[in-house]
Amino acid sequence: MVRPTLTLPAALMISTGLAGLAQAQALPEITSIELGQAGIARYTMTAETSGTRIRFAVPAAASSDVLASLIVRDPAGGVVDLQTDTPGSAAAALRETEFAAGIPTDTPALLEALKGQEVTLTTALGSTTGRVMGLRRFDAVEDTQRVDRLAALLLTQDGVAEVVLLPGTKVTFSQEAAQHLARAMDQSRIAADVRQFDLTLAADTPRAVDLSYVTEAAAWKNSWRLLLDEGRLQGWATFENVSGADWQDVDLTLTTGAPVAYRRDLINPLMIARNEADGTHPVPIDVQADSGVGLMAMASARAAPAPKMEMEPVMVSGSESEGTQLQSSGILRYALPNPVDLQDGRTANLMYLDLPIEPDIRGLYRPDEMEDSILLAAAIHADQPLAPGLVSVQDKDGFVGDARFDGMLAGQTRLLPFAAATGSTILTDSTERYALTTLVHMQGTLTMEFQNTRTTTYSGAMPEMVDLFTVEHPKGFGDIDGATGTIEHGDWFYRITAPVTDGKGVISLTEKAVYQRQVRIGDGNFASILAEIASGQVSLSDEHRAAFDDARALKTRIDAAKREIESLRGRYDGLTQEQKRLRENLDSVKQEALRDRYLTALDKTETEIAGNFDRINALEAQISGLEQDLLTVFAGF
């Protein structure tokens, strides 16, 4: 029986024909896209069908996303199943064929793959049929020149034939090998390109079916144009088509926000490793001689009932839990008014919003950012939410500056600082007032409530175009008690705005801070309070001032008495040293006159020491009385 043979060009034609057959059915095309700023897109394809099966293709990288997020909207019924080739299944089938190592790219590589199979090699010298044994490289002399040649060794019916592989050699081989080669070529193309899915539906009536899935995509970038002279705010979107397919008449919706999204692998087979079982391998039998056994031994040797084994559930790894919460409050959607055409690999920049707006130009001062400069800022207000993005501010004369914009909700107002106000000046004046408002005495402890009031005035020369002056005064001192202008509360500042008059803007605000201090009467902190009040730093009522004046006088006397006691105790130390010296001299001298003089001096030191002790006792008693008087001063509070 003669096996059918096929030449290599024919095999390539069969591969191409098979691929064309698979594409004969028109695949669904992308009809709408939701493109997000978080790098996530939702693609929707529409399939016109009258049967129960739809075949569609997606980029291979999106295979797991299709399995995880595909939504089918079929007006005629439900979904039966979704199938696709298991990754590596075709490659696994090819492992046992001649093309397991890959697709041959030249005649020698093809013959190496077909080693052992029957082929026919046709050259200009004729045709030879036989089984491929191998290849031999040799040097040949042609036209007096040495050239490198390759010959194929074939096992023919007449023996071994060597066929030199000349340019234009044709290789003919079996239909089976041609099919293997076609499958290898298809597998290589599919693995690196797209993946096809087969969707089976319940109904078979003519209708349009929508297929949607969520996958990674290039995030769109937002930018704004603020046209001051026209009073318009334009939103522009920059996006790329990296989907692998051209977009034709696609309805494009741009979304913002940060939805929770996970990458997961659902397309590749998940193999769960099993534990190795101990003692399951056969062991050699070692027969022992019978040594006899008693009744008790027999009883003890009976096998006990096997305990029941508790089976724990097996946790299958490899699939991550989906994010169930979506930051919907921060998501905006902009539907482009016209369908979009964009070739794969192209970038587009389209205007998606053209909003009439009335920006007012302000002089803006931020003390924390710019010590002595005023910024020009445009205040914008919109009745719809706006996405974040950089704003290019322009007027009739051209570009005037860029402004950062973090987006806003409907009904809000935002300031867009875009340039420094050339030639503007700013002056800042601040005064503070520190007052004691409440005084409470309890068991020798004073609890005092202070109120610190700060008044800050900002004044600046404004450019001619500016009608309002705004200051973002930093928070942190206390609560605002009043201001010459409208007050808005930011996270870290008070925003105060006032009209500009004759080219000058002036804003004054007052802040108050209330806090408590506790001190023990007579200690060091109490002395600090007395010093602050005496210096005039603290404002207080006449009643409180009289009490602190009396307390300061008593504290002065107490401190003087304590200093005198300290001095007397220092004198006592000196006298004891003097006594020690006099006694040593008394022990070393024999003359009566000299001894009498030492004794007189010793008696004098004893008298002084006794007097000092009396004085110290009197001072301590005086201090005790003064301290009681000090407590009495605050007894009524």
Side-chain angles (χ1 to χ4, degrees), residues 24-285:
Q25 263 185 314
L27 297 177
E29 294 184 354
I30 296 174
T31 55
S32 67
I33 301 172
E34 285 188 10
L35 191 59
Q37 281 188 316
I40 299 296
R42 183 173 183 262
Y43 293 96
T44 298
M45 299 174 287
T46 300
E48 299 289 341
T49 182
S50 58
T52 61
R53 177 164 297 185
I54 295 175
R55 171 169 290 184
F56 63 94
V58 301
S63 301
S64 290
D65 290 328
V66 170
L67 295 176
S69 64
L70 180 68
I71 298 295
V72 180
R73 290 183 171 85
D74 184 356
V79 175
V80 176
D81 68 3
L82 176 69
Q83 295 187 12
T84 186
D85 290 334
T86 302
S89 57
L94 291 173
R95 291 194 190 109
E96 305 300 326
T97 71
E98 53 275 274
F99 301 110
I103 301 173
T105 57
D106 54 26
T107 300
L110 175 63
L111 293 176
E112 283 288 351
L114 295 174
K115 187 179 294 185
Q117 296 197 30
E118 184 175 292
V119 301
T120 298
L121 299 180
T122 302
T123 67
L125 302 178
S127 297
T128 304
T129 300
R131 298 175 64 182
V132 180
M133 297 176 60
L135 300 174
R136 182 179 72 86
R137 188 174 298 278
F138 64 94
D139 292 333
V141 178
E142 298 178 1
D143 296 332
T144 69
Q145 293 186 354
R146 186 179 298 276
V147 294
D148 183 35
R149 289 297 184 193
L150 197 65
L153 298 179
L154 302 182
L155 178 61
T156 69
Q157 293 180 352
D158 299 328
V160 176
E162 187 175 75
V163 180
V164 178
L165 301 180
L166 299 174
T169 299
K170 185 170 72 172
V171 182
T172 305
F173 48 89
S174 69
Q175 178 76 28
E176 181 181 7
Q179 292 176 350
H180 292 169
L181 180 57
R183 287 177 57 195
M185 295 171 67
D186 288 342
Q187 173 66 20
S188 174
R189 177 184 60 81
I190 291 173
D193 189 5
V194 299
R195 172 168 293 279
Q196 290 187 346
F197 288 86
D198 292 315
L199 177 67
T200 304
L201 304 173
D204 59 359
T205 58
R207 75 269 189 206
V209 178
D210 287 338
L211 313 176
S212 302
Y213 69 96
V214 177
T215 188
E216 294 179 354
W220 72 278
K221 284 84 69 178
N222 185 44
S223 58
W224 296 96
R225 278 76 154 161
L226 178 58
L227 308 180
L228 298 178
D229 54 321
E230 299 182 19
R232 308 199 70 81
L233 180 65
Q234 297 177 344
W236 288 72
T238 302
F239 53 89
E240 299 84 12
N241 179 1
V242 292
S243 64
D246 293 342
W247 297 349
Q248 297 290 337
D249 291 332
V250 170
D251 294 328
L252 183 61
T253 300
L254 305 174
T255 67
T256 70
V260 177
Y262 293 105
R263 181 183 290 118
R264 54 232 135 160
D265 185 3
L266 300 183
I267 190 65
N268 290 304
L270 176 63
M271 308 303 294
I272 305 299
R274 294 179 295 172
N275 295 328
E276 294 289 340
D278 296 330
T280 58
H281 302 292
V283 295
I285 298 176

Side-chain angles (χ1 to χ4, degrees), residues 201-435:
L201 304 173
D204 59 359
T205 58
R207 75 269 189 206
V209 178
D210 287 338
L211 313 176
S212 302
Y213 69 96
V214 177
T215 188
E216 294 179 354
W220 72 278
K221 284 84 69 178
N222 185 44
S223 58
W224 296 96
R225 278 76 154 161
L226 178 58
L227 308 180
L228 298 178
D229 54 321
E230 299 182 19
R232 308 199 70 81
L233 180 65
Q234 297 177 344
W236 288 72
T238 302
F239 53 89
E240 299 84 12
N241 179 1
V242 292
S243 64
D246 293 342
W247 297 349
Q248 297 290 337
D249 291 332
V250 170
D251 294 328
L252 183 61
T253 300
L254 305 174
T255 67
T256 70
V260 177
Y262 293 105
R263 181 183 290 118
R264 54 232 135 160
D265 185 3
L266 300 183
I267 190 65
N268 290 304
L270 176 63
M271 308 303 294
I272 305 299
R274 294 179 295 172
N275 295 328
E276 294 289 340
D278 296 330
T280 58
H281 302 292
V283 295
I285 298 176
D286 185 13
V287 179
Q288 300 292 332
D290 183 16
S291 59
V293 63
L295 292 178
M296 295 298 293
M298 290 178 61
S300 64
R302 290 196 184 112
K308 292 184 179 180
M309 183 175 294
E310 298 292 336
M311 300 297 293
E312 296 184 358
V314 178
M315 302 302 294
V316 180
S317 62
S319 59
E320 293 191 60
S321 59
E322 284 190 41
T324 56
Q325 293 186 354
L326 188 69
Q327 298 179 6
S328 57
S329 61
I331 291 182
L332 306 178
R333 285 180 168 83
Y334 300 100
L336 297 189
N338 299 314
V340 173
D341 293 340
L342 188 62
Q343 293 180 353
D344 182 37
R346 298 278 290 176
T347 297
N349 185 237
L350 299 178
M351 183 171 65
Y352 66 89
L353 185 66
D354 190 9
L355 188 67
I357 205 164
E358 296 181 3
D360 60 67
I361 307 302
R362 306 183 182 185
L364 174 63
Y365 180 53
R366 291 174 168 170
D368 282 349
E369 294 184 7
M370 308 185 74
E371 294 183 359
D372 55 1
S373 298
I374 296 176
L375 299 172
L376 293 177
I380 61 172
H381 177 87
D383 294 328
Q384 68 178 66
L386 301 177
L390 196 65
V391 181
S392 175
V393 184
Q394 304 181 33
D395 62 13
K396 61 182 179 61
D397 296 322
F399 173 75
V400 293
D402 281 334
R404 293 181 177 179
F405 179 51
D406 293 332
M408 67 183 188
L409 300 177
Q412 292 185 330
T413 299
R414 288 289 184 271
L415 287 183
L416 304 179
F418 59 86
T422 305
S424 62
T425 58
I426 186 74
L427 296 175
T428 303
D429 180 66
S430 181
T431 59
E432 291 190 27
R433 181 175 176 270
Y434 187 48

